Amino acid sequence: MTTTDNLHAFIADLPKAELHVHHVGSASPRIVSELAARHPDSKVPTDPEALVDYFTFTDFAHFIDVYLSVVDLIRTPEDVRLLTYEVARDLARQQVRYAELTITPFSSTRRGIDERAFMEAIEDARKAAESEFGTVLRWCFDIPGEAGLEAAEETTRLATDDRLRPEGLVSFGLGGPEIGVPRPQFKPYFDRAIAAGLHSVPHAGETTGPETVWDALTHLRAERIGHGTNSFQDPALLTHLAEHRIPLEVCPTSNIATRAVRTLDEHPIKAFVEAGIVVTINSDDPPMFGTDLNSEYAVAARLLNLDERGLAELAKNAVDVSFLDEPGKARIKDEIDTYTTTWLAP
Ligand SMILES: [Zn+2]
């Protein structure tokens, strides 16, 4: 009989891959306090204890305020490097071996950070993280949908210009609000990114219905869907996602925090698994939603009634549908198998 405590201990050391996590949204109170100390004129507290209160959101509007105040702390290439490197440290602590980090370069270049220095900062952090923590990072550059076509053009340029495009870039995304931001208008930008060899991974169906997921598939040629939560409303869509093996990047706690879903028990994750869809577990903006990847695996274990073997399969799903090369995938999956076998040995 597996106890909940046992399962949590198993998850804590289970090698994992994280496919849906945002760069600025991963700034923990520890990282924010370091950044705030570098910029004393900011209104963000520097004391980690005060920061825990600061990160307690009263509602979604408050979350956006806090998020933007953290964006305001990223002012220099050195801030970008520090944030990226420290986020990797937090991932490594959770035994994350591979992560695709969603970065919104437009937020930084618009604020005047030199584009070349920005790319060098993230690449420098990526290389340091890999050699020091053993965590492999790759980038997804995403269009902040609310900033419109100007942001789409700028993000596409940064992602496809050979003189700028960072080595670690593997995919192209679309984030921000869905309501009032129709997906089809971004088709020309995704076409260019795909032609440049990038994978398409837009957010869709988080706060709007299944038609947005269809749009992401048809117009943006999505290979994975960020969230896809409301896909459950359309049985034909569930069948399509299963048959074409289009994985969903599920972030349960984020969906509660943003009120996309009312309670965890009402989360459609089980319906996705029962429909035969490849499901991956992710954390989105973990410190801002009071979670981390390990907690999300614990949530999944409860909602899907998984034991250690089931959790290991879930972890391997994420590795399988990641954009890591095949030898890299095989290495992490072997590690997951060895860890699980050893854990379950009598
Ligand atoms: Zn997201």
Side-chain angles (χ1 to χ4, degrees):
M1 182 73 197
T2 302
T3 66
T4 308
D5 280 352
N6 260 336
L7 219 46
H8 285 197
F10 174 78
I11 290 168
D13 284 332
L14 174 67
K16 288 172 285 282
E18 163 73 280
L19 304 182
H20 188 124
V21 64
H22 295 265
H23 188 218
V24 173
S26 297
S28 61
R30 173 182 72 79
I31 300 172
V32 173
S33 108
E34 277 192 54
L35 288 166
R38 296 164 59 96
H39 302 295
D41 62 310
S42 128
K43 62 173 182 170
V44 179
T46 52
D47 168 29
E49 267 174 48
L51 269 165
V52 173
D53 286 339
Y54 188 76
F55 269 50
T56 307
F57 308 118
T58 51
D59 56 21
F60 192 63
H62 183 212
F63 160 69
I64 296 291
D65 277 351
V66 171
Y67 189 91
L68 292 177
S69 70
V70 176
V71 170
D72 180 57
L73 292 173
I74 319 293
R75 300 180 191 177
T76 69
E78 179 48 31
D79 296 335
V80 174
R81 201 204 67 83
L82 177 105
L83 169 67
T84 315
Y85 177 77
E86 293 300 329
V87 165
R89 188 201 301 277
D90 286 347
L91 288 166
R93 278 197 190 121
Q94 300 181 74
Q95 308 306 325
V96 173
R97 300 289 191 267
Y98 172 80
E100 289 171 16
L101 198 57
T102 296
I103 296 187
T104 314
F106 180 74
S107 310
S108 293
T109 56
R110 176 183 50 179
R111 297 175 59 81
I113 297 184
D114 176 76
E115 54 197 34
R116 207 169 294 272
F118 179 88
M119 302 302 175
E120 280 167 13
I122 58 172
E123 284 292 295
D124 184 60
R126 177 175 75 78
K127 288 170 188 160
E130 189 166 337
S131 68
E132 291 172 39
F133 311 136
T135 297
V136 173
L137 292 181
R138 293 290 181 266
W139 318 124
C140 168
F141 277 6
D142 82 329
I143 301 169
E146 73 282 6
L149 298 186
E150 181 206 347
E153 177 58 41
E154 174 76 349
T155 307
T156 309
R157 185 182 66 80
L158 295 168
T160 59
D161 182 334
D162 287 340
R163 290 161 301 175
L164 289 170
R165 174 185 172 159
E167 210 182 310
L169 185 66
V170 291
S171 60
F172 196 71
L174 169 61
E178 290 175 37
I179 296 168
V181 187
R183 310 283 103 170
Q185 63 183 318
F186 298 104
K187 175 178 176 5
Y189 306 97
F190 274 76
D191 283 346
R192 280 162 59 195
I194 293 166
L198 297 175
H199 298 281
S200 167
V201 287
H203 287 58
E206 178 186 12
T207 52
T208 59
E211 65 284 352
T212 313
V213 179
W214 283 117
D215 280 347
L217 293 168
T218 309
H219 298 284
L220 310 183
R221 292 185 274 160
E223 290 171 61
R224 295 195 314 245
I225 300 286
H227 295 287
T229 317
N230 289 319
S231 302
F232 79 93
Q233 296 167 5
D234 181 351
L237 177 58
L238 294 181
T239 304
H240 182 94
L241 294 170
E243 279 179 359
H244 292 83
R245 288 190 60 81
I246 309 280
L248 299 182
E249 300 161 3
V250 175
C251 314
T253 300
S254 159
N255 291 158
I256 308 307
T258 61
R259 295 178 172 52
V261 177
R262 250 177 1 127
T263 65
L264 280 174
D265 289 303
E266 290 168 77
H267 199 285
I269 185 170
K270 193 156 191 181
F272 298 151
V273 171
E274 284 169 356
I277 295 168
V278 178
V279 162
T280 65
I281 296 299
N282 306 278
S283 65
D284 211 8
D285 300 299
M288 302 205 176
F289 298 142
T291 190
D292 59 21
L293 189 59
N294 287 342
S295 304
E296 296 307 286
Y297 269 77
V299 167
R302 184 171 74 75
L303 296 181
L304 299 173
N305 197 22
L306 300 177
D307 60 8
E308 288 88 345
R309 285 188 204 286
L311 283 162
E313 287 307 312
L314 203 56
K316 286 201 278 185
N317 276 356
V319 178
D320 270 328
V321 302
S322 76
F323 302 128
L324 182 60
D325 56 29
E326 292 303 325
K329 287 183 185 181
R331 211 162 35 240
I332 303 177
K333 288 195 292 181
D334 279 351
E335 207 192 336
I336 292 171
D337 283 337
T338 306
Y339 170 75
T340 308
T341 308
T342 309
W343 180 276
L344 294 174

